[in-house]
Every structure is written in structure tokens, then in C-alpha cells.
Amino acid sequence: MKFMKLGSNPDTFQDDGNEVSIVATELVSDVTVRIGTTKFYLHKFPLLSKCARFQKMIPTTGDENIEIHIHDIPGGAKAFEICAKFCYGMIVTLNAYNVIAARCAAEYLEMHETVDKGNLIYKIEIFLSSSIFRSWKDSIIVLGTTKAHLPWSEDLKLVSHCIDSIASKASTDTSKVEWSYSYNRKKLPTENGLDLEWNGVKKQQFVPHDWWVEDLADLDIDSYKQVITAIKTKGMVPKDVIGEAIKAYTYKKLPSLSKVSMVHGDAKVRAMLVTITCLLPSEKGSVSCSFLLKLLKATNLLKCGELCRKELMKRIGRQLDEASVSDLLIPTVDGETTVYDIDMILSIVEEFVRQDSKNAQKHNGGEVDSHVQAPSASMIKVAKVVDGYLAEVAKDPNTPILKFIHLAETMSINSRPVHDGLYRAIDMYLKEHPSLGKNEKKKLCSLMDCKKLSPDACAHAVQNERLPLRTVVQVLYHEQTRASAAVTIRADSICVGSYESSRSGATTNTEDEWDGVMAVEDLSLSTKTTTKLDGATNSHCRNGKATKGGASTPKKAAHRKTTTVPTGKGQSGERSSSDSSDSAILQKLELPKRTPSRSTKPAAV
């Protein structure tokens, strides 16, 4: 820390223990200055020679003792004592902790150059400009002391000088940083006495771009706001570094923000959160989406205001693809019936969809149909997160079905390449809401596209007693269609191989070998249609032409207009496309079990 000593006479101020300071001298004091409960027994001449204010208050004639009461001097008795000692030429030590108080008190006493050359104000200004404002840490300390001496420190430009000094140093190219920094509480190599030269070549010093972040976290929110604003104005520091600084400051001042338990506080905490939100850089990605959601959670619980909440929601919407499901679990405020604030997440998702649509329009130079346009990678990510969020809120018995459906429908049709996540959320909602009516269940399940379920999800769905029968039939139908398509592709591949082998004189496959090929196929539904296709394929592919066993090709068999569905009696039934009710489906299908039997025996052709 920098310091400066003024005066050469020994310090003769004494304190008798009763908050009374006197000057030990042979001359009897003729001026008593009272500041609060502290009395100073002084002499006229030293005070009149340096302070223009005393020249107006103390008469030069008369021998009577004069008592002066001062109530509004900045810095109080401590600052006045420094000024009084300077008037007596006593040794005074100025440092970063007392220099602002002394400067403001000297201004109050009017200790200018016009009164006496080399007066206290002049000497303090020299100390500030040549030492304090050139030191990184001293500038921060001094800025922290200015708040106690408002409005004097602002009127004297002391606050602005401190801020400019700090902002300029934080904006300096890291290759030119030569002062101490506290990143990880380390110092520069030169400050540790290390030699930076090796064989006459100067080594490159590495200083991280956010070296200044930790030191500024000690400032109060008002001073911090001024410094960050000044750094932004200079435009030399990357936005992500500024965002990291704000994040570090927030976690230091509000440590509970980064924990599971949310911060609770008074108006001061609310004001701090609002200020932090306003300080965030407007550029996308300057702070993490997780941090923004933590801020939103805190501002929502502490009711920091609608403007603050909307600003955070807008920022989150622009980078929602970075969020996780746990980040989105924002509790509702008092009075709400649901556990989590679904409306808030719905607004954020809608904001993201709008932003994604705008970006797509810019990229394509015109209007974009979200139901036709291929989804962006970020849209697919968000859809996956939304499905995970739906699964979480589905566990709440008070979650309204309309909110659940509305949030699920917010994502475009193409945004979910696979519907397993949505199926899981729907199944969870059905499990936690067993009293749903038939129409509500149908509407809920209509969100799901059975064609986009994985084989594992299909296997679960056909055994799921909570699903409407119509949905189960749809799953069975699409699973059988997929299985038939797989058989057709395999048959075509085998036919080509058999035709080539017959041309080259290779022997044809035996009946056992064909059975072995089909046995390794992982088909979710093995039906009589599948085995018939198998028999047709075997007979058709021998030597590249049809035999007695079959009269139709695999492709023709695979594209039949009616689809065979397995029944409990081993007989096949046909599902009519005109069926419009569960009863009609039941008349066509006989399904004693939700899980179709898997047949491994070859069917007779």
C-alpha cells in the first residue's frame, strides 16, 4: 500500500481518555474546536495560517478563548485531526484508507493554495495522482471509502477519478499488465523475485483475461455498477469476461444463489438483483443460461418486479438450448397450486421459438413454415429438454392438463426426431392423474407420434395399461409395418446375393440356412404375415426366380393394402382404416394380451 508522510515536527497531540485532544505546548490554547463529543484545544495562529474557513470564524483580535462547534465536517474528528496536525507541521501519514477523508475535510476547511503555498489540498492531490490512482489495489480501496464521504467525494471528482483508474487498468492488454493481481491469489513472477530472462531472452508472462474479477468483488453494489459501466464504455474487455465478472460478484455477495436453497432477503437484496440484471451484457452467451435461470429463480421468489423478470426471460429464451431440466425447475411463489412455475417456462419456450424462427427467416431470406422447415440443432435440444421438464411437472398432481398440452405443443412437429421423451412424460402424467377421462387421455396421447417411438418404447407401450386401446393399436400397427419393411429389405438383399451366387455357380442356400438368417432378425412383432413373407422370400430367391412355394414377390407382399395383426388364437385379422372407435377396433382385433406373441416357427405357404 502506498503512503505519504507530511510535516517534520513530532506528533504532540494527546488524548486524556475523555475524548479530549490537546496540544502539549508551553502556550495556552486560545481556540477550542468541538466536533461531536471530541474537543480539540488549539491555537489561533496555526489554524488561521492554513484554513480560510477559520479566518472567517475566528477573530484575529482579543485574547479570550473561543469555542467553535463543527457538526458537518466530512470524516468527522479523525479527518479534522489530520488537518490540524498539518497546520502545526506535525508528521501526518496519508494512505488509501484515510486520504479521501482528509481531502474532503481539507476542502471543508478551505486549505487552498491561495491561503498558503504547499497547502494540504495541493499535497493530497499530488499524492492521489502520482501514487494512489496508479496503484490497482489502492484505487479499489480508495473507491470503497468514497461512499462514506458523499456528496463531497463526488463533487471533488474523487469517485470519477477512482472509477476511471480502475476501468482503465481492467481494460489494459494483458500482455502489458505489470501490477499485482489476485487471480488465484497469485502475483506476477517479477513481484515474486523471479527472473524472467533465460539466456538473454525475455519470457512471456501469462496473465488471464479475468485477472481483475476477484478484486472488484469486494466493492459495494453501487460502486461496482459504476466500474462495470465504465469498463463497458471503454469497449476493450470481451463481453464474456464482463459476464464472468458479474457472475463471480453475484456468487460472492449472494452465495446461496449457487446452492439448492434460494436466497431470501430484504429490499437491499432485491435492489442488488435488479442492478445485476441491468448490468448483464446484452450479447448472447456473455453469461451462461444456467446462471440466468438462477437469477430468474431468485428474482421471482423475491418479487423483484415484472420488468426485471421479463428481461431475464428474454435473455434466457435466446440461449435456452444451453439449459438443463434441473435449471428449469423454478418454484412457484406463494398462492400457486402447482409446485413449479409452468407459465414462466412456457413464456421462455415461446420466446425461444420466436427467436429461432427469426434466425431461420434471416438464413432463408423469407417466411419459414416451422412444420415443414427442418429443425435446427438448438430446436432439437430444446425439445428434448422440454420433454424432460414435462416428465418432471407431470409428477405434480396439480399440474393442469391444458398447461401440459400447451407446453408440449409449443415445440414444432419436426423438433422431435424421436418421441420417447414425450411418451415418458405422457405416461408419467397418466400415472399421476388416474382420474382422467377417456377424451382427455386421447387428447394427451394424440401429442405423440407412434411412428417416432423406438423399439424399446414400443415394447413398453403395448404393455402399458394406462394408454388408451386406440394408442396401443396404433403402436402395434406401426411396429408391424416397420417389421415388415425390415423383412422386405432383408429379402431384397438376400435375393440379390442369391442371384449373383447362382450366376457364379455357387450352391443355393438350404432351408435350414434361410431359417438361420431370419432367426437373427430383431423384429418387435413376429406375425403370420412375417412368416408368409419369409416363405415367399425363400421360394422366390432360389436361383433368382419363383418356385412352387410362392407366387408373389416380397415387394408385393410387403405392400398389401391390409395389415395383419397378431391375435391370441394364432389367427390373423385385418385392421380397417375406416375404424373410428375403440369398439370397432375390438370387433376387428382379438387382443387378450397387450404384448403380441413372438413366433419363431415358419408358416406354411
Side-chain angles (χ1 to χ4, degrees), residues 43 48 220 410:
H43 304 85
L48 296 176
D220 64 88
T410 304

Side-chain angles (χ1 to χ4, degrees), residues 147-187:
K147 191 173 184 178
H149 306 102
L150 296 173
W152 289 87
S153 56
E154 276 192 343
D155 295 341
L156 296 174
K157 309 297 182 183
L158 297 174
V159 175
S160 60
H161 285 323
C162 287
I163 292 172
D164 184 68
S165 172
I166 296 170
S168 297
K169 290 176 174 59
S171 303
T172 303
D173 191 320
T174 54
S175 62
K176 299 178 181 179
V177 173
E178 297 179 351
W179 47 83
S180 170
Y181 68 100
S182 60
Y183 187 86
N184 290 331
R185 295 300 178 191
K186 296 179 180 178
K187 289 186 176 182

Side-chain angles (χ1 to χ4, degrees), residues 5-22:
K5 287 188 176 182
L6 301 176
S8 57
N9 297 331
D11 184 357
T12 56
F13 268 53
Q14 297 178 356
D15 193 340
D16 64 0
N18 295 320
E19 296 185 306
V20 177
S21 297
I22 61 174

Side-chain angles (χ1 to χ4, degrees), residues 128-357:
L128 289 172
S129 59
S130 64
S131 183
I132 294 295
F133 293 148
R134 292 190 177 186
S135 169
W136 165 254
K137 291 185 177 179
D138 286 344
S139 297
I140 296 174
I141 294 172
V142 167
L143 180 59
T145 65
T146 57
K147 191 173 184 178
H149 306 102
L150 296 173
W152 289 87
S153 56
E154 276 192 343
D155 295 341
L156 296 174
K157 309 297 182 183
L158 297 174
V159 175
S160 60
H161 285 323
C162 287
I163 292 172
D164 184 68
S165 172
I166 296 170
S168 297
K169 290 176 174 59
S171 303
T172 303
D173 191 320
T174 54
S175 62
K176 299 178 181 179
V177 173
E178 297 179 351
W179 47 83
S180 170
Y181 68 100
S182 60
Y183 187 86
N184 290 331
R185 295 300 178 191
K186 296 179 180 178
K187 289 186 176 182
L188 294 176
T190 50
E191 295 176 319
N192 289 327
L194 300 179
D195 187 9
L196 288 180
E197 292 191 2
W198 181 77
N199 288 342
V201 179
K202 188 174 183 179
K203 297 179 183 178
Q204 180 67 33
Q205 298 184 90
F206 175 74
V207 177
H209 290 286
D210 59 345
W211 62 268
W212 48 272
V213 168
E214 187 177 335
D215 287 334
L216 295 190
D218 294 328
L219 295 172
D220 64 88
I221 186 62
D222 294 329
S223 299
Y224 188 79
K225 177 183 178 180
Q226 292 174 303
V227 172
I228 293 297
T229 302
I231 292 175
K232 284 183 177 180
T233 302
K234 291 184 180 295
M236 303 297 292
V237 178
K239 302 302 180 182
D240 59 328
V241 176
I242 295 177
E244 186 63 29
I246 296 173
K247 178 180 176 181
Y249 181 85
T250 304
Y251 282 153
K252 183 165 185 177
K253 296 298 183 181
L254 303 173
S256 60
L257 192 70
S258 60
K259 300 177 182 178
V260 177
S261 59
M262 186 43 57
V263 59
H264 293 280
D266 52 11
K268 182 182 288 187
V269 177
R270 287 196 293 271
M272 181 181 294
L273 287 171
V274 172
T275 301
I276 288 171
T277 301
C278 295
L279 285 178
L280 293 173
S282 58
E283 288 75 9
K284 177 183 177 181
S286 56
V287 290
S288 67
C289 187
S290 177
F291 175 67
L292 290 173
L293 283 163
K294 285 184 175 66
L295 282 179
L296 179 61
K297 188 182 298 184
T299 54
N300 188 49
L301 290 178
L302 296 178
K303 301 178 181 179
C304 294
E306 188 68 16
L307 290 177
C308 180
R309 193 166 66 97
K310 285 185 176 181
E311 177 63 22
L312 285 171
M313 291 168 60
K314 183 178 179 181
R315 291 174 182 268
I316 293 168
R318 289 187 298 176
Q319 52 192 96
L320 187 59
D321 54 321
E322 304 172 10
S324 64
V325 175
S326 60
D327 293 331
L328 298 180
L329 299 177
I330 300 177
T332 54
V333 296
D334 298 336
E336 297 290 338
T337 57
T338 58
V339 176
Y340 301 113
D341 198 328
I342 303 174
D343 292 331
M344 181 178 292
I345 300 303
L346 177 61
S347 299
I348 293 174
V349 174
E350 289 175 342
E351 176 65 27
F352 169 80
V353 172
R354 282 194 295 269
Q355 293 292 334
D356 189 80
S357 178

Side-chain angles (χ1 to χ4, degrees), residues 417-462:
V418 179
H419 277 212
D420 287 14
L422 183 58
Y423 166 67
R424 177 175 174 270
I426 292 173
D427 182 47
M428 187 66 67
Y429 193 90
L430 292 173
K431 180 180 178 181
E432 297 297 332
H433 300 77
S435 61
L436 287 179
K438 183 177 179 180
N439 291 332
E440 290 176 318
K441 288 184 178 181
K442 286 184 178 180
K443 189 171 184 180
L444 193 64
C445 291
S446 66
L447 297 169
M448 179 176 57
D449 187 349
C450 298
K451 296 190 296 294
K452 292 186 177 182
L453 293 178
S454 68
D456 289 339
C458 287
H460 186 278
V462 296

Side-chain angles (χ1 to χ4, degrees), residues 418-548:
V418 179
H419 277 212
D420 287 14
L422 183 58
Y423 166 67
R424 177 175 174 270
I426 292 173
D427 182 47
M428 187 66 67
Y429 193 90
L430 292 173
K431 180 180 178 181
E432 297 297 332
H433 300 77
S435 61
L436 287 179
K438 183 177 179 180
N439 291 332
E440 290 176 318
K441 288 184 178 181
K442 286 184 178 180
K443 189 171 184 180
L444 193 64
C445 291
S446 66
L447 297 169
M448 179 176 57
D449 187 349
C450 298
K451 296 190 296 294
K452 292 186 177 182
L453 293 178
S454 68
D456 289 339
C458 287
H460 186 278
V462 296
Q463 301 179 74
N464 193 342
E465 297 292 339
R466 290 184 288 271
L467 295 179
L469 181 58
R470 179 181 295 275
T471 303
V472 176
V473 172
Q474 290 176 352
V475 173
L476 287 169
Y477 172 76
H478 292 300
E479 184 68 1
Q480 179 178 327
T481 302
R482 180 160 50 190
S484 299
V487 172
T488 302
I489 294 173
R490 173 63 67 179
D492 289 344
S493 176
I494 294 174
C495 287
V496 172
S498 299
Y499 178 71
E500 292 295 334
S501 64
S502 65
R503 292 184 60 188
S504 61
T507 59
T508 59
N509 293 326
T510 65
E511 208 55 52
D512 292 338
E513 288 172 338
W514 282 112
D515 291 341
V517 171
M518 294 308 298
V520 299
E521 288 296 318
D522 184 17
L523 301 180
S524 298
L525 295 174
S526 296
T527 66
K528 286 191 173 183
T529 300
T530 304
T531 56
K532 286 182 179 180
L533 287 174
D534 187 15
T537 301
N538 291 338
S539 62
H540 173 73
C541 292
R542 296 186 183 279
N543 297 322
K545 59 183 179 179
T547 63
K548 295 180 181 180

